[in-house]
Structure formats: C-alpha cells, structure tokens
C-alpha cells in the first residue's frame, strides 16, 4: 500500500522576506516546486493510501434505488 509523508513547513515570503508557517502539510517535492526558500519544521504525518477507498465527501452516499425513491416522493408531493 502506498504511503504519503506530509511535512509541516515554513517558507520565506517573497514580498516581505519573513518566514511564514504554512497552514497545510505537503510532500517534499510539492513544497520544493512551489517555494524557492523553505524548511521542514516538524516530523512527517504518515498516511497510508488505499487506491480502492473512496475519497471524502460531506454527503451521505445513497444507493441508486434510494435516490430514485426520494425523487418520486419529492415530485409526487408537487403535483
């Protein structure tokens, strides 16, 4: 199973020249591609990635039959 190593980091702001702590964690290659000056400021967050697992969605996944029943109820009450 593939693993992600996501690092907390800080980077130097191009306009002010000050170090800024990033509000997110990222892989090393993503940080390097985006920022000219950066440094890791903590230990990585290790995540196991299951390619067969669904992505997060804030909505409840409903079976097709349940979805159709809900539509019938909604459209039936409008007639």
């Amino acid at each position: 199973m593939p693993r992600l190593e996501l690092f907390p980091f800080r980077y130097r702001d191009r306009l002010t020249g000050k170090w800024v702590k990033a509000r997110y964690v990222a892989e090393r290659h993503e940080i390097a591609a985006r920022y000219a000056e950066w440094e890791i400021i903590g230990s990585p967050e290790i995540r196991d990635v299951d390619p067969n697992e669904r992505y997060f969605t804030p909505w409840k996944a409903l079976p097709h039959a349940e979805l159709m029943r809900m539509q019938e109820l909604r459209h039936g009450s409008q007639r």
Side-chain angles (χ1 to χ4, degrees):
M1 186 177 319
R3 291 172 35 141
L4 280 179
E5 287 187 344
L6 303 173
F7 293 90
F9 66 98
R10 66 182 189 164
Y11 60 93
R12 189 177 299 271
D13 186 275
R14 289 184 297 181
L15 297 176
T16 64
K18 294 181 180 180
W19 285 98
V20 179
K21 182 180 183 245
R23 292 198 247 169
Y24 63 96
V25 292
E27 293 180 284
R28 283 182 196 261
H29 69 275
E30 292 174 351
I31 299 168
R34 183 165 181 156
Y35 301 101
E37 280 188 86
W38 56 274
E39 63 182 24
I40 302 294
I41 58 172
S43 57
E45 180 180 313
I46 310 275
R47 294 186 189 174
D48 291 326
V49 180
D50 183 0
N52 298 324
E53 193 167 315
R54 293 173 39 98
Y55 288 101
F56 172 76
T57 178
W59 299 281
K60 182 180 176 183
L62 293 175
H64 181 70
E66 181 73 17
L67 210 67
M68 296 307 289
R69 188 178 68 76
M70 289 173 58
Q71 282 184 338
E72 287 175 9
L73 291 174
R74 188 175 73 201
H75 292 298
S77 64
Q78 294 176 354
R79 293 181 186 166

